[in-house]
Amino acid sequence: PVPLPTARRERLLLQLVLNHPALLDRDGEIFAQLDFSAPDLDRLRRAILDQHAIHPGLDSAGLKHHLSEVGQSGLVERLVGPDVRYLEPFARPDASLAEVERGWRHIVARHRRPHEVLEYRADAVARDWTEENLRHLKAQHGASHGGEAEQTE
């Protein structure tokens, strides 16, 4: 796959969480540890984490409502509002849970540094022992130790 520019990855991560805040129930710590380079996107990331801590279990509409109360409605609208022309299929509000989780894992892995990706893959295998997760871990381990990584999606 073609590498995504950092700002686009950051916007995509926020779109995923805004439309599917249940991701934070399982991977909130991962989201909290991500480095965002764009200050406005990082402020929104922190506001999402704050609102999730104060109001756990919010659905997308509830999260957006609470974010608007803390001054984030403009950026939220630009990211996931009705005028947004295109969202990746896995970031759309009607995406299946499987699509959302696949997209989330892919974008998080691309956004992290290589040693963090390896750690993330190992956590995924520990949480959900599947052949696919194990294959991703082996591919990343090879890349982290000087070998060629398989292209994984």
Side-chain angles (χ1 to χ4, degrees), residues 129-143:
W129 186 263
T130 65
E131 287 296 320
E132 179 183 6
N133 281 341
L134 185 57
R135 183 173 52 81
H136 289 300
L137 176 62
K138 287 179 180 178
Q140 189 59 47
H141 184 267

Side-chain angles (χ1 to χ4, degrees), residues 12-21 23 90-91 100 103-104 107:
L12 190 49
L13 287 163
L14 289 167
Q15 289 168 332
L16 275 160
V17 171
L18 288 166
N19 283 331
H20 304 279
L23 288 167
F90 57 83
V100 170
W104 171 256
I107 299 303

Side-chain angles (χ1 to χ4, degrees), residues 102-115:
R102 244 188 332 271
W104 171 256
R105 285 191 307 263
H106 178 79
I107 299 303
V108 165
R110 295 290 182 259
H111 194 69
R112 291 177 149 194
R113 291 182 295 263
H115 72 278

Side-chain angles (χ1 to χ4, degrees), residues 45-60:
R45 182 187 63 83
R46 289 191 318 262
I48 289 169
L49 289 165
D50 290 346
Q51 293 308 310
H52 180 71
I54 295 167
H55 309 284
L58 287 174
D59 64 5
S60 181

